Amino acid sequence: MDNRNKIIDNLKTVFTEVANQFSLPENTFCVKDNFSKTGAKAGNLISTEIDIQEMSFPYDKNNKIKKSTLVLYITPNTTVFELMIKKYIFHAIPLPEIATITKEPGDHYLYFHVSFPLDDNSIYDYIKSNLVYSITNYESSNSFGCCSQYKECSEQKECLHSNKLYAKGCRYRENLENGQIFY
């Protein structure tokens, strides 16, 4: 197995762990490769992105991605793992000591470039922390007052919706999480 396949397999394990931790739908996280379209590097891989995918709800046979939210980029590099982390996420998550900041964002640049040694697995914990932060602060593409389960949610003092990503748009869930029970 080549290094890239190993990375993707490890990412899938991290995705499953976070999805299970938050009771998220299958395939909430995805990996997308970005290839250069023009110039001397046309056709070359320029980055791999990790995204949160929110599917349309309720589900149907034509279910489509309703919203895709970038978490971070991984840039191809043969000597280190290099991540591109959004500024606001970078400041919210402690950077492991083994990681190195290789580029800081300026006024018009949104990402910190952070490198990890190829033989260090702490990158997966750092990516997991980025996913957890992104899910915790995620805003659904849908916004609604409550669903048909509001009485059951009130009794249990938590959101019981089957799709926890979609339920991020429930305003009553926010009240429940703040200890305000109306029903």
Side-chain angles (χ1 to χ4, degrees):
M1 178 184 306
D2 71 359
N3 197 32
R4 177 155 171 69
N5 287 339
K6 179 183 171 198
I7 293 167
I8 299 300
D9 285 347
N10 287 339
L11 286 174
K12 287 178 182 177
T13 300
V14 171
F15 293 168
T16 300
E17 289 172 5
V18 176
N20 289 341
Q21 178 182 345
F22 287 90
S23 301
L24 299 171
E26 192 175 316
N27 299 324
T28 294
F29 303 107
C30 73
V31 174
K32 293 181 190 170
D33 289 333
N34 299 312
F35 295 91
S36 179
K37 294 180 182 175
T38 60
K41 293 188 178 187
N44 290 346
L45 179 68
I46 55 173
S47 68
T48 300
E49 62 185 73
I50 297 176
D51 295 333
I52 298 171
Q53 287 186 148
E54 183 178 348
M55 304 303 280
S56 297
F57 191 85
Y59 300 112
D60 65 26
K61 66 180 180 175
N62 299 316
N63 205 14
K64 297 189 172 136
I65 297 171
K66 179 111 178 172
K67 179 180 176 184
S68 185
T69 304
L70 175 71
V71 177
L72 59 83
Y73 289 108
I74 303 171
T75 58
N77 195 317
T78 57
T79 58
V80 293
F81 286 119
E82 186 174 352
L83 304 179
M84 293 171 59
I85 310 294
K86 293 177 184 177
K87 276 197 269 193
Y88 69 92
I89 295 177
F90 177 85
H91 290 297
I93 299 171
L95 189 64
E97 287 184 27
I98 196 150
T100 305
I101 299 170
T102 55
K103 185 175 184 181
E104 292 190 30
D107 291 338
H108 302 290
Y109 195 67
L110 303 174
Y111 300 94
F112 276 87
H113 287 239
V114 178
S115 295
F116 288 78
L118 287 176
D119 62 350
D120 184 72
N121 285 332
S122 69
I123 188 172
Y124 299 108
D125 291 333
Y126 187 70
I127 290 172
K128 183 177 182 178
S129 295
N130 275 264
L131 293 171
V132 167
Y133 178 89
S134 296
I135 286 296
T136 302
N137 294 284
Y138 183 79
E139 293 184 18
S140 175
S141 61
N142 299 289
S143 180
F144 54 96
C146 62
C147 72
S148 63
Q149 294 178 304
Y150 68 94
K151 288 184 181 177
E152 292 87 355
C153 294
S154 295
E155 290 170 10
Q156 297 297 316
K157 298 180 174 67
E158 67 178 343
C159 177
L160 299 175
H161 198 283
S162 62
N163 185 327
K164 298 299 185 197
L165 194 61
Y166 173 80
K168 288 281 196 172
C170 176
R171 299 299 146 226
Y172 188 52
R173 177 194 53 81
E174 293 174 4
N175 287 310
L176 288 171
E177 289 174 356
N178 291 318
Q180 298 174 335
I181 300 167
F182 299 144
Y183 305 100

